[in-house]
Amino acid sequence: MPDQLPEIELEDRGSKGRYVLRGPGGAEAEMTFTKIGEHQIIIDHTEVPDAFRGQGAGLRLVTRAVEDARAAGKKIIPLCPFANAQFRRHQEWADVLKR
């Protein structure tokens, strides 16, 4: 199906990592994070190229991080302005937000 969105991939590189959506022509939407100890991650950057605009790619990336953090019992510190704005909009994520 051509209108099906690609799966989000998690690339874990030790203390850092990223969630990535790969699109047509090598376009990548990504959200990078840094691990703080065993129980916290900082979302430090979200970048969505024009190829993904209007598809909710950024929100999908943040949502996936929230789901993974919840499953692993981790808290998120959303330093990235986009992720921070999403946390303000989604009160149901309060359980994984580091206060």
Side-chain angles (χ1 to χ4, degrees):
M1 282 166 38
D3 61 346
Q4 189 173 9
L5 289 169
E7 284 298 305
I8 295 172
E9 298 173 38
L10 170 59
E11 295 179 359
D12 193 328
R13 301 193 177 107
S15 65
K16 292 187 173 290
R18 72 179 188 147
Y19 290 94
V20 61
L21 276 166
R22 299 182 202 285
E28 288 185 348
E30 71 168 3
M31 185 189 71
T32 61
F33 63 88
T34 303
K35 297 176 193 168
I36 305 298
E38 293 292 307
H39 304 291
Q40 296 178 51
I41 67 165
I42 293 173
I43 295 176
D44 39 36
H45 180 68
T46 305
E47 186 166 340
V48 179
D50 290 341
F52 286 98
R53 293 262 184 251
Q55 299 175 40
L59 176 58
R60 285 186 63 211
L61 291 167
V62 179
T63 301
R64 169 69 189 274
V66 167
E67 291 166 353
D68 287 359
R70 189 174 280 145
K74 294 184 178 181
K75 297 285 187 186
I76 294 175
I77 303 166
L79 290 187
C80 157
F82 176 81
N84 196 4
Q86 294 303 321
F87 268 90
R88 283 198 304 272
R89 284 190 194 112
H90 295 271
Q91 296 302 311
E92 70 274 18
W93 296 349
D95 61 309
V96 297
L97 179 64
K98 174 69 175 169
R99 302 220 176 264

mmCIF file of all heavy atoms in Angstrom, residues 59-91:
data_model
loop_
_atom_site.group_PDB
_atom_site.id
_atom_site.type_symbol
_atom_site.label_atom_id
_atom_site.label_comp_id
_atom_site.label_asym_id
_atom_site.label_seq_id
_atom_site.Cartn_x
_atom_site.Cartn_y
_atom_site.Cartn_z
ATOM 1 N N LEU A 59 5.059 13.672 15.676
ATOM 2 C CA LEU A 59 4.212 13.159 16.761
ATOM 3 C C LEU A 59 4.358 11.644 16.895
ATOM 4 O O LEU A 59 4.433 11.120 18.006
ATOM 5 C CB LEU A 59 2.748 13.528 16.517
ATOM 6 C CG LEU A 59 1.752 12.970 17.539
ATOM 7 C CD1 LEU A 59 2.089 13.422 18.945
ATOM 8 C CD2 LEU A 59 0.334 13.373 17.172
ATOM 9 N N ARG A 60 4.445 10.936 15.784
ATOM 10 C CA ARG A 60 4.629 9.479 15.842
ATOM 11 C C ARG A 60 5.935 9.127 16.551
ATOM 12 O O ARG A 60 5.983 8.174 17.327
ATOM 13 C CB ARG A 60 4.634 8.875 14.433
ATOM 14 C CG ARG A 60 3.256 8.789 13.793
ATOM 15 C CD ARG A 60 3.313 8.037 12.464
ATOM 16 N NE ARG A 60 3.724 6.657 12.656
ATOM 17 C CZ ARG A 60 4.412 5.942 11.759
ATOM 18 N NH1 ARG A 60 4.784 6.473 10.621
ATOM 19 N NH2 ARG A 60 4.730 4.686 12.002
ATOM 20 N N LEU A 61 6.995 9.884 16.267
ATOM 21 C CA LEU A 61 8.293 9.608 16.896
ATOM 22 C C LEU A 61 8.226 9.817 18.408
ATOM 23 O O LEU A 61 8.706 8.978 19.174
ATOM 24 C CB LEU A 61 9.370 10.508 16.277
ATOM 25 C CG LEU A 61 9.734 10.199 14.814
ATOM 26 C CD1 LEU A 61 10.552 11.340 14.227
ATOM 27 C CD2 LEU A 61 10.481 8.888 14.690
ATOM 28 N N VAL A 62 7.626 10.924 18.827
ATOM 29 C CA VAL A 62 7.524 11.200 20.267
ATOM 30 C C VAL A 62 6.628 10.158 20.936
ATOM 31 O O VAL A 62 6.940 9.648 22.019
ATOM 32 C CB VAL A 62 7.005 12.629 20.533
ATOM 33 C CG1 VAL A 62 6.887 12.877 22.037
ATOM 34 C CG2 VAL A 62 7.934 13.666 19.910
ATOM 35 N N THR A 63 5.525 9.808 20.287
ATOM 36 C CA THR A 63 4.600 8.811 20.846
ATOM 37 C C THR A 63 5.310 7.480 21.063
ATOM 38 O O THR A 63 5.142 6.829 22.099
ATOM 39 C CB THR A 63 3.384 8.626 19.916
ATOM 40 O OG1 THR A 63 2.719 9.877 19.769
ATOM 41 C CG2 THR A 63 2.402 7.613 20.486
ATOM 42 N N ARG A 64 6.127 7.075 20.095
ATOM 43 C CA ARG A 64 6.866 5.810 20.223
ATOM 44 C C ARG A 64 7.823 5.868 21.410
ATOM 45 O O ARG A 64 7.934 4.908 22.191
ATOM 46 C CB ARG A 64 7.612 5.521 18.918
ATOM 47 C CG ARG A 64 8.614 4.397 18.976
ATOM 48 C CD ARG A 64 8.017 3.000 19.146
ATOM 49 N NE ARG A 64 9.088 2.066 19.408
ATOM 50 C CZ ARG A 64 9.804 1.455 18.451
ATOM 51 N NH1 ARG A 64 9.528 1.650 17.181
ATOM 52 N NH2 ARG A 64 10.780 0.640 18.783
ATOM 53 N N ALA A 65 8.510 7.003 21.586
ATOM 54 C CA ALA A 65 9.421 7.142 22.723
ATOM 55 C C ALA A 65 8.656 7.051 24.039
ATOM 56 O O ALA A 65 9.119 6.424 24.995
ATOM 57 C CB ALA A 65 10.179 8.465 22.631
ATOM 58 N N VAL A 66 7.470 7.672 24.086
ATOM 59 C CA VAL A 66 6.639 7.613 25.292
ATOM 60 C C VAL A 66 6.235 6.167 25.584
ATOM 61 O O VAL A 66 6.339 5.700 26.720
ATOM 62 C CB VAL A 66 5.385 8.510 25.134
ATOM 63 C CG1 VAL A 66 4.370 8.222 26.232
ATOM 64 C CG2 VAL A 66 5.784 9.979 25.143
ATOM 65 N N GLU A 67 5.800 5.446 24.546
ATOM 66 C CA GLU A 67 5.390 4.047 24.740
ATOM 67 C C GLU A 67 6.547 3.194 25.238
ATOM 68 O O GLU A 67 6.392 2.374 26.141
ATOM 69 C CB GLU A 67 4.837 3.488 23.422
ATOM 70 C CG GLU A 67 3.503 4.111 23.036
ATOM 71 C CD GLU A 67 3.102 3.819 21.584
ATOM 72 O OE1 GLU A 67 3.918 3.238 20.818
ATOM 73 O OE2 GLU A 67 1.973 4.179 21.213
ATOM 74 N N ASP A 68 7.728 3.393 24.630
ATOM 75 C CA ASP A 68 8.898 2.616 25.042
ATOM 76 C C ASP A 68 9.317 2.962 26.472
ATOM 77 O O ASP A 68 9.673 2.074 27.250
ATOM 78 C CB ASP A 68 10.071 2.862 24.088
ATOM 79 C CG ASP A 68 9.868 2.185 22.729
ATOM 80 O OD1 ASP A 68 8.836 1.517 22.522
ATOM 81 O OD2 ASP A 68 10.759 2.347 21.873
ATOM 82 N N ALA A 69 9.291 4.254 26.809
ATOM 83 C CA ALA A 69 9.667 4.673 28.164
ATOM 84 C C ALA A 69 8.697 4.093 29.189
ATOM 85 O O ALA A 69 9.110 3.602 30.241
ATOM 86 C CB ALA A 69 9.690 6.195 28.258
ATOM 87 N N ARG A 70 7.420 4.130 28.871
ATOM 88 C CA ARG A 70 6.405 3.598 29.777
ATOM 89 C C ARG A 70 6.631 2.106 30.001
ATOM 90 O O ARG A 70 6.596 1.618 31.131
ATOM 91 C CB ARG A 70 5.021 3.858 29.181
ATOM 92 C CG ARG A 70 3.874 3.548 30.112
ATOM 93 C CD ARG A 70 2.558 3.986 29.494
ATOM 94 N NE ARG A 70 2.348 5.421 29.641
ATOM 95 C CZ ARG A 70 1.736 6.189 28.729
ATOM 96 N NH1 ARG A 70 1.302 5.678 27.604
ATOM 97 N NH2 ARG A 70 1.573 7.474 28.959
ATOM 98 N N ALA A 71 6.891 1.378 28.926
ATOM 99 C CA ALA A 71 7.098 -0.073 29.027
ATOM 100 C C ALA A 71 8.345 -0.412 29.840
ATOM 101 O O ALA A 71 8.391 -1.432 30.520
ATOM 102 C CB ALA A 71 7.198 -0.680 27.628
ATOM 103 N N ALA A 72 9.355 0.462 29.777
ATOM 104 C CA ALA A 72 10.621 0.208 30.470
ATOM 105 C C ALA A 72 10.703 0.877 31.835
ATOM 106 O O ALA A 72 11.720 0.785 32.514
ATOM 107 C CB ALA A 72 11.782 0.681 29.591
ATOM 108 N N GLY A 73 9.636 1.586 32.236
ATOM 109 C CA GLY A 73 9.648 2.267 33.522
ATOM 110 C C GLY A 73 10.598 3.451 33.565
ATOM 111 O O GLY A 73 11.168 3.757 34.602
ATOM 112 N N LYS A 74 10.770 4.126 32.410
ATOM 113 C CA LYS A 74 11.684 5.273 32.343
ATOM 114 C C LYS A 74 10.908 6.581 32.299
ATOM 115 O O LYS A 74 9.735 6.611 31.973
ATOM 116 C CB LYS A 74 12.562 5.167 31.092
ATOM 117 C CG LYS A 74 13.502 3.996 31.143
ATOM 118 C CD LYS A 74 14.416 3.966 29.944
ATOM 119 C CE LYS A 74 15.376 2.786 30.064
ATOM 120 N NZ LYS A 74 16.310 2.723 28.947
ATOM 121 N N LYS A 75 11.620 7.655 32.639
ATOM 122 C CA LYS A 75 11.067 9.007 32.552
ATOM 123 C C LYS A 75 11.737 9.746 31.398
ATOM 124 O O LYS A 75 12.888 9.467 31.050
ATOM 125 C CB LYS A 75 11.318 9.788 33.851
ATOM 126 C CG LYS A 75 10.646 9.188 35.070
ATOM 127 C CD LYS A 75 9.159 9.454 35.074
ATOM 128 C CE LYS A 75 8.539 8.993 36.393
ATOM 129 N NZ LYS A 75 7.081 9.102 36.368
ATOM 130 N N ILE A 76 11.000 10.701 30.821
ATOM 131 C CA ILE A 76 11.500 11.481 29.700
ATOM 132 C C ILE A 76 11.645 12.942 30.097
ATOM 133 O O ILE A 76 10.751 13.512 30.726
ATOM 134 C CB ILE A 76 10.547 11.375 28.484
ATOM 135 C CG1 ILE A 76 10.538 9.945 27.947
ATOM 136 C CG2 ILE A 76 10.953 12.367 27.381
ATOM 137 C CD1 ILE A 76 9.525 9.718 26.827
ATOM 138 N N ILE A 77 12.768 13.530 29.709
ATOM 139 C CA ILE A 77 13.002 14.969 29.857
ATOM 140 C C ILE A 77 12.978 15.537 28.435
ATOM 141 O O ILE A 77 13.913 15.321 27.665
ATOM 142 C CB ILE A 77 14.367 15.244 30.522
ATOM 143 C CG1 ILE A 77 14.455 14.541 31.886
ATOM 144 C CG2 ILE A 77 14.612 16.753 30.643
ATOM 145 C CD1 ILE A 77 15.854 14.478 32.457
ATOM 146 N N PRO A 78 11.893 16.223 28.054
ATOM 147 C CA PRO A 78 11.790 16.714 26.674
ATOM 148 C C PRO A 78 12.439 18.084 26.479
ATOM 149 O O PRO A 78 11.775 19.112 26.528
ATOM 150 C CB PRO A 78 10.277 16.756 26.438
ATOM 151 C CG PRO A 78 9.698 17.033 27.793
ATOM 152 C CD PRO A 78 10.647 16.429 28.800
ATOM 153 N N LEU A 79 13.763 18.102 26.261
ATOM 154 C CA LEU A 79 14.459 19.364 26.049
ATOM 155 C C LEU A 79 14.167 19.933 24.664
ATOM 156 O O LEU A 79 14.180 21.133 24.461
ATOM 157 C CB LEU A 79 15.973 19.196 26.211
ATOM 158 C CG LEU A 79 16.476 18.946 27.631
ATOM 159 C CD1 LEU A 79 17.994 18.974 27.658
ATOM 160 C CD2 LEU A 79 15.918 19.976 28.616
ATOM 161 N N CYS A 80 13.929 19.062 23.702
ATOM 162 C CA CYS A 80 13.601 19.491 22.341
ATOM 163 C C CYS A 80 12.289 20.275 22.373
ATOM 164 O O CYS A 80 11.302 19.820 22.961
ATOM 165 C CB CYS A 80 13.470 18.256 21.464
ATOM 166 S SG CYS A 80 12.485 18.460 19.992
ATOM 167 N N PRO A 81 12.246 21.478 21.782
ATOM 168 C CA PRO A 81 11.018 22.295 21.812
ATOM 169 C C PRO A 81 9.795 21.586 21.244
ATOM 170 O O PRO A 81 8.697 21.713 21.778
ATOM 171 C CB PRO A 81 11.375 23.522 20.973
ATOM 172 C CG PRO A 81 12.864 23.607 21.034
ATOM 173 C CD PRO A 81 13.357 22.190 21.138
ATOM 174 N N PHE A 82 9.977 20.815 20.174
ATOM 175 C CA PHE A 82 8.838 20.097 19.584
ATOM 176 C C PHE A 82 8.296 19.052 20.556
ATOM 177 O O PHE A 82 7.097 18.983 20.815
ATOM 178 C CB PHE A 82 9.240 19.426 18.256
ATOM 179 C CG PHE A 82 8.126 18.598 17.685
ATOM 180 C CD1 PHE A 82 7.104 19.193 16.969
ATOM 181 C CD2 PHE A 82 8.083 17.226 17.882
ATOM 182 C CE1 PHE A 82 6.053 18.433 16.461
ATOM 183 C CE2 PHE A 82 7.045 16.459 17.378
ATOM 184 C CZ PHE A 82 6.026 17.070 16.665
ATOM 185 N N ALA A 83 9.203 18.240 21.114
ATOM 186 C CA ALA A 83 8.767 17.205 22.053
ATOM 187 C C ALA A 83 8.125 17.832 23.282
ATOM 188 O O ALA A 83 7.101 17.348 23.781
ATOM 189 C CB ALA A 83 9.956 16.323 22.455
ATOM 190 N N ASN A 84 8.702 18.930 23.759
ATOM 191 C CA ASN A 84 8.153 19.620 24.923
ATOM 192 C C ASN A 84 6.727 20.084 24.638
ATOM 193 O O ASN A 84 5.824 19.930 25.469
ATOM 194 C CB ASN A 84 9.069 20.794 25.287
ATOM 195 C CG ASN A 84 8.797 21.322 26.672
ATOM 196 O OD1 ASN A 84 7.981 20.793 27.414
ATOM 197 N ND2 ASN A 84 9.469 22.385 27.022
ATOM 198 N N ALA A 85 6.502 20.631 23.453
ATOM 199 C CA ALA A 85 5.154 21.084 23.075
ATOM 200 C C ALA A 85 4.181 19.911 23.026
ATOM 201 O O ALA A 85 3.024 20.034 23.434
ATOM 202 C CB ALA A 85 5.208 21.793 21.720
ATOM 203 N N GLN A 86 4.650 18.765 22.535
ATOM 204 C CA GLN A 86 3.775 17.582 22.473
ATOM 205 C C GLN A 86 3.402 17.111 23.886
ATOM 206 O O GLN A 86 2.267 16.713 24.123
ATOM 207 C CB GLN A 86 4.441 16.450 21.674
ATOM 208 C CG GLN A 86 4.637 16.759 20.205
ATOM 209 C CD GLN A 86 3.348 17.113 19.492
ATOM 210 O OE1 GLN A 86 2.293 16.533 19.734
ATOM 211 N NE2 GLN A 86 3.417 18.094 18.609
ATOM 212 N N PHE A 87 4.359 17.155 24.806
ATOM 213 C CA PHE A 87 4.057 16.759 26.185
ATOM 214 C C PHE A 87 3.014 17.696 26.801
ATOM 215 O O PHE A 87 2.161 17.254 27.567
ATOM 216 C CB PHE A 87 5.330 16.717 27.042
ATOM 217 C CG PHE A 87 5.971 15.361 27.078
ATOM 218 C CD1 PHE A 87 6.927 15.008 26.132
ATOM 219 C CD2 PHE A 87 5.606 14.429 28.034
ATOM 220 C CE1 PHE A 87 7.511 13.751 26.154
ATOM 221 C CE2 PHE A 87 6.181 13.170 28.061
ATOM 222 C CZ PHE A 87 7.138 12.832 27.110
ATOM 223 N N ARG A 88 3.079 18.989 26.469
ATOM 224 C CA ARG A 88 2.085 19.922 26.991
ATOM 225 C C ARG A 88 0.695 19.614 26.422
ATOM 226 O O ARG A 88 -0.307 19.804 27.097
ATOM 227 C CB ARG A 88 2.484 21.367 26.669
ATOM 228 C CG ARG A 88 3.596 21.869 27.584
ATOM 229 C CD ARG A 88 3.709 23.383 27.581
ATOM 230 N NE ARG A 88 3.892 23.927 26.242
ATOM 231 C CZ ARG A 88 5.066 24.085 25.646
ATOM 232 N NH1 ARG A 88 6.177 23.725 26.261
ATOM 233 N NH2 ARG A 88 5.143 24.599 24.431
ATOM 234 N N ARG A 89 0.645 19.148 25.187
ATOM 235 C CA ARG A 89 -0.640 18.830 24.551
ATOM 236 C C ARG A 89 -1.225 17.507 25.008
ATOM 237 O O ARG A 89 -2.422 17.293 24.926
ATOM 238 C CB ARG A 89 -0.469 18.758 23.028
ATOM 239 C CG ARG A 89 -0.364 20.096 22.375
ATOM 240 C CD ARG A 89 -0.446 19.970 20.867
ATOM 241 N NE ARG A 89 -0.021 21.216 20.279
ATOM 242 C CZ ARG A 89 1.101 21.375 19.579
ATOM 243 N NH1 ARG A 89 1.888 20.349 19.351
ATOM 244 N NH2 ARG A 89 1.422 22.545 19.095
ATOM 245 N N HIS A 90 -0.359 16.584 25.419
ATOM 246 C CA HIS A 90 -0.801 15.216 25.730
ATOM 247 C C HIS A 90 -0.656 14.943 27.224
ATOM 248 O O HIS A 90 0.340 14.374 27.675
ATOM 249 C CB HIS A 90 0.000 14.205 24.904
ATOM 250 C CG HIS A 90 -0.240 14.324 23.435
ATOM 251 N ND1 HIS A 90 -1.244 13.636 22.801
ATOM 252 C CD2 HIS A 90 0.369 15.084 22.487
ATOM 253 C CE1 HIS A 90 -1.237 13.956 21.509
ATOM 254 N NE2 HIS A 90 -0.281 14.831 21.293
ATOM 255 N N GLN A 91 -1.684 15.334 27.976
ATOM 256 C CA GLN A 91 -1.640 15.160 29.428
ATOM 257 C C GLN A 91 -1.566 13.684 29.827
ATOM 258 O O GLN A 91 -1.094 13.359 30.910
ATOM 259 C CB GLN A 91 -2.870 15.817 30.067
ATOM 260 C CG GLN A 91 -2.919 17.327 29.886
ATOM 261 C CD GLN A 91 -1.695 18.031 30.451
ATOM 262 O OE1 GLN A 91 -1.305 17.771 31.576
ATOM 263 N NE2 GLN A 91 -1.087 18.914 29.671
#
